[in-house]
Amino acid sequence: MLPIRFWLYLVAVLLLTGAVYITNAPFVARNASAGQPTAPSQEKTFYMVTGEFKGRYQGKKLEAYRWDPGMIVVHQGDRVHLVIRGVSGKEHPFSIQGYNVRGNVRQGQITRVSFTAYKPGTFQLICHTHPTAETNGPMIGYIVVLPRQTT
């Protein structure tokens, strides 16, 4: 019989592995009963957070910034609502390239933006504080707009 500490450790590792998988997976609305993607809906809300990680490696300061989830998937014509909580980083002014959407996420606050996904493609959600490697970025998320399927 294995000690209880082993089982507790194993459960913790499995939970953390699942959390990493979920936060890195694209979010697509699904039909819960069938497990299949739903027909395009009119309203979709996504809850996101800002992530800022700092450390040192071989005496050098390292920083990484990200949006979580890093990718969302919607259909053309959907009304998209982003609810973004500023978890870390003082502020993250952002825009969604290809759309006239701008906002600013501040630490400890929630920022809400909404738009209609009127054109298909992949669009960057980019933080203007961290847009390039020189600014410890890029801090970029992706919004994938799938073409509306006709049945």
Side-chain angles (χ1 to χ4, degrees):
M1 186 72 141
L2 295 171
I4 190 92
R5 273 196 312 185
F6 170 81
W7 293 109
L8 291 173
Y9 176 76
L10 180 63
V11 168
V13 168
L14 291 174
L15 287 173
L16 287 173
T17 303
V20 168
Y21 172 77
I22 289 169
T23 59
N24 288 322
F27 282 71
V28 179
R30 297 199 176 271
N31 179 331
S33 61
Q36 298 297 319
T38 62
S41 65
Q42 295 302 311
E43 302 278 332
K44 292 186 180 169
T45 301
F46 296 90
Y47 297 89
M48 303 177 78
V49 296
T50 59
E52 184 172 308
F53 307 94
K54 296 180 181 181
R56 296 189 87 65
Y57 178 71
Q58 295 182 347
K60 293 184 179 179
K61 181 176 150 183
L62 300 174
E63 296 181 20
Y65 301 91
R66 60 179 289 140
W67 304 100
D68 278 312
M71 178 188 303
I72 63 171
V73 180
V74 299
H75 289 93
Q76 184 178 6
D78 287 347
R79 183 76 180 152
V80 180
H81 306 282
L82 302 180
V83 181
I84 310 170
R85 177 178 294 278
V87 174
S88 55
K90 185 177 176 182
E91 68 177 340
H92 300 281
F94 67 89
S95 64
I96 299 174
Q97 294 181 337
Y99 285 86
N100 190 24
V101 176
R102 294 184 153 312
N104 190 21
V105 181
R106 290 188 173 87
Q107 188 174 21
Q109 297 181 1
I110 294 176
T111 299
R112 291 176 169 82
V113 294
S114 298
F115 64 97
T116 300
Y118 60 89
K119 58 183 170 182
T122 301
F123 304 93
Q124 293 183 348
L125 167 65
I126 186 161
C127 171
H128 297 289
T129 302
H130 311 289
T132 65
E134 292 75 29
T135 59
N136 297 310
M139 182 177 177
I140 296 175
Y142 297 94
I143 299 172
V144 177
V145 181
L146 301 174
R148 182 177 295 274
Q149 300 285 328
T150 56
T151 52

